[in-house]
Amino acid sequence: MERVCWPYFDPEYENLSQRINPPRVSIDNATCSDCTLVKVDSVNKPGILLEVVQVLTDLDLTISKAYISSDGGWFMDVFHVTDQQGNKLTDRKTIEDIEKALGPKSNILSTDGKSWTGKRVGVHSIGDYTAIELVGTDRPGLLSEISAVLANFHCNVVAAEVWTHNMRVACVVYINDDATCRAVDDPKRLSAMEEQLRNVLRGRDEDGKGACTSFSMGFTHTDRRLHQMMFADRDYEGGGVLEGDGIVSSRPIITVDRCEDKGYLLVNVRCKDRPKLLFDTVCTLTDMQYLVFHASIVSDGPYALQEYYIRHVDGCSLDPLGEKERVIKCMEAAIRRRVSEGLSLELCARDRVGLLSDVTRVLRENGLSVTRAGVTTVGDQAMNVFYVRDASGNPVDMKTIESLRQEIGHTMMLNVKKVPTNAEAPESSGWAKTSLSFGSLFERFLA
């Protein structure tokens, strides 16, 4: 038998450029007087921009400017960042976290998607948890019904994030067993819970169109997953006039043009600035299978200006008109998913099974609809934030807030904040904020 010889291929060859040129990160506090420059140089790979932006976003840093270039197989980014107070980065722990996540010893060039663990929506409870993902048609009182099902199964909600957009809802809920403080892993119990949650999501829609429930024992980056879920649910379709508290909201201005000589699509975005905006837009471009070759990001007062030069990952040129319209719709959806108008209610109370169910029931009974929510558990304290609107679309009456005070004010702190509805009045500039603190439990929480 004739012997066949194949040329030798070193399995380490593909990683040679990464080993010769490992990722580099520079933290520069000298160049600018009002911000810190975070410079990242690395061999390029699909999705690396999202990973870098995710790291900075998860560290609660504000990105005021960014310059991105990834032509020629090399990735070079410069980010102008500050902390939540608008100051330069001086905290050694934060700087070390950036260097660890993006520097030579990081795994941002790995292919397993686990380069940065990120935040787990503030999960600080002891023990394991089970993640539940829910997608369906939004309606007033839905979160109350979901949390009631979980309470009936004696599950404690240790963290959750809920988004609504275009009458669709997506949420990731982290639960554990009340008795063991560990993940719920009994197949029969999970199956029964899943059936009841699906019935809740179906509501009056008998065919349950779009209703989906799934369980996971593994880790997921919640904001990243919520974008994926809503994108897969095609929440960018439909829409129409955007309203908030009876006032027509300013829509983002998005244009898409072709650069025929370079083969790029040029995407320009102008909208009201807000935290995590860059993460949301980059997330959606990644979900749409686009590569960002160049980008410029600037926050100009209350507005953000973003410019992206992109190509589809497979290099194919799609139908020009249809492609442009889809990019515009998807980018607008990415911006709107996290936008909330009306009132935000911040509640702090001792954690217990059924707390979320009780609070959301009170909101429903007072005619309030939850448009976005965040649930966090720290030790024995539950800190919940609900963005609410009147279920009928009218401005929330302060008498309703007084009624809330009467019902839940004896056992928790209630903090009420009006969320702005226009770009000329950003959230940080003087909106009324009312703190209502009742009973003695909250003083014991802080002790």
Side-chain angles (χ1 to χ4, degrees):
M1 182 175 181
E2 184 180 355
R3 185 178 179 182
V4 178
C5 296
W6 298 96
Y8 173 74
F9 178 78
D10 187 346
E12 294 296 318
Y13 179 78
E14 288 188 6
N15 299 323
L16 181 61
S17 62
Q18 299 177 14
R19 288 185 281 116
I20 295 176
N21 299 297
R24 297 190 300 270
V25 60
S26 170
I27 311 297
D28 179 3
N29 269 320
T31 302
C32 293
S33 60
D34 58 350
C35 67
T36 298
L37 301 188
V38 178
K39 304 174 184 178
V40 182
D41 294 333
S42 168
V43 173
N44 194 22
K45 75 157 190 175
I48 190 173
L49 174 60
L50 176 58
E51 293 186 37
V52 173
V53 172
Q54 178 180 310
V55 168
L56 299 178
T57 302
D58 285 347
L59 291 171
D60 291 328
L61 302 180
T62 299
I63 302 173
S64 57
K65 293 181 182 179
Y67 303 98
I68 296 155
S69 178
S70 61
D71 255 340
W74 194 256
F75 176 83
M76 294 181 291
D77 283 7
V78 178
F79 298 92
H80 295 233
V81 304
T82 58
D83 60 20
Q84 289 295 296
Q85 289 71 44
N87 302 318
K88 289 184 176 184
L89 306 187
T90 56
D91 178 58
R92 191 62 224 168
K93 176 67 165 55
T94 301
I95 293 175
E96 289 176 353
D97 285 343
I98 296 174
E99 293 173 340
K100 181 179 179 181
L102 302 177
K105 296 182 180 180
S106 70
N107 294 317
I108 63 170
L109 293 177
S110 66
T111 58
D112 59 6
K114 299 178 181 178
S115 59
W116 172 249
T117 57
K119 289 188 174 179
R120 301 190 179 192
V121 206
V123 176
H124 299 283
S125 61
I126 298 175
D128 300 325
Y129 59 85
T130 300
I132 307 175
E133 297 179 354
L134 304 167
V135 178
T137 303
D138 188 31
R139 67 176 187 275
L142 179 60
L143 182 57
S144 174
E145 296 177 43
I146 291 172
S147 54
V149 170
L150 299 177
N152 289 337
F153 279 91
H154 303 285
C155 295
N156 187 39
V157 178
V158 292
E161 195 79 16
V162 181
W163 290 1
T164 64
H165 179 246
N166 274 354
M167 295 304 297
R168 305 300 296 171
V169 61
C171 60
V172 178
V173 184
Y174 297 86
I175 63 170
N176 59 25
D177 183 85
D178 178 46
T180 65
C181 289
R182 298 189 65 84
V184 180
D185 54 8
D186 177 25
K188 292 183 179 179
R189 188 177 178 190
L190 289 175
S191 178
M193 192 186 308
E194 181 176 12
E195 181 179 0
Q196 290 196 25
L197 288 172
R198 282 183 175 172
N199 289 336
V200 167
L201 287 172
R202 288 192 188 99
R204 299 182 181 86
D205 185 5
E206 294 183 0
D207 61 6
K209 182 180 180 181
C212 179
T213 305
S214 63
F215 294 88
S216 171
M217 301 297 175
F219 168 76
T220 179
H221 185 277
T222 307
D223 288 3
R224 179 81 181 91
R225 187 67 189 124
L226 285 167
H227 275 299
Q228 291 175 332
M229 292 162 63
M230 299 211 84
F231 178 77
D233 192 49
R234 306 175 73 90
D235 72 311
Y236 51 85
E237 296 182 342
V241 179
L242 303 171
E243 298 182 354
D245 268 2
I247 302 173
V248 177
S249 303
S250 57
R251 300 184 71 147
I253 300 173
I254 304 170
T255 60
V256 179
D257 299 295
R258 283 193 172 274
C259 300
E260 299 294 346
D261 54 336
K262 296 291 185 180
Y264 294 129
L265 278 182
L266 171 57
V267 181
N268 277 290
V269 179
R270 185 176 188 268
C271 64
K272 180 185 173 184
D273 195 19
R274 61 166 175 77
K276 301 186 178 183
L277 177 64
L278 179 58
F279 173 84
D280 294 339
T281 52
V282 171
C283 211
T284 291
L285 289 174
T286 303
D287 288 341
M288 296 181 71
Q289 300 294 302
Y290 283 107
L291 301 177
V292 177
F293 286 84
H294 300 281
S296 176
I297 312 297
V298 179
S299 295
D300 182 17
Y303 290 99
L305 306 175
Q306 300 183 348
E307 182 180 71
Y308 296 100
Y309 289 83
I310 64 175
R311 289 188 191 133
H312 201 268
V313 68
D314 60 9
C316 295
S317 178
L318 306 179
D319 173 63
L321 182 59
E323 186 178 15
K324 290 181 181 181
E325 290 180 352
R326 185 168 181 265
V327 170
I328 291 173
K329 287 182 178 180
C330 291
M331 290 292 279
E332 182 172 329
I335 295 168
R336 294 293 306 177
R337 285 169 192 153
R338 211 191 290 265
V339 171
S340 299
E341 297 164 346
L343 292 179
S344 71
L345 307 178
E346 302 171 3
L347 300 100
C348 180
R350 189 178 300 281
D351 189 33
R352 60 176 172 80
V353 171
L355 175 64
L356 181 62
S357 175
D358 291 343
V359 171
T360 52
R361 174 184 54 79
V362 171
L363 296 178
R364 181 189 64 192
E365 291 173 351
N366 282 273
L368 297 180
S369 179
V370 177
T371 60
R372 187 158 65 92
V375 176
T376 304
T377 303
V378 182
D380 65 348
Q381 294 183 54
M383 294 182 290
N384 304 337
V385 180
F386 301 97
Y387 294 84
V388 300
R389 294 173 55 185
D390 186 277
S392 61
N394 298 318
V396 178
D397 193 333
M398 289 309 294
K399 291 181 180 179
T400 303
I401 302 302
E402 177 63 20
S403 178
L404 286 176
R405 181 189 71 81
Q406 296 294 333
E407 292 195 56
I408 64 178
H410 299 292
T411 57
M412 65 182 66
M413 174 187 173
L414 173 63
N415 195 36
V416 184
K417 181 180 178 182
K418 185 175 181 181
V419 182
T421 56
N422 60 73
E424 287 70 29
E427 294 184 27
S428 59
S429 59
W431 281 88
K433 185 174 183 180
T434 305
S435 296
L436 308 173
S437 183
F438 310 99
S440 59
L441 280 178
F442 184 67
E443 283 73 22
R444 294 207 298 273
F445 290 157
L446 298 181

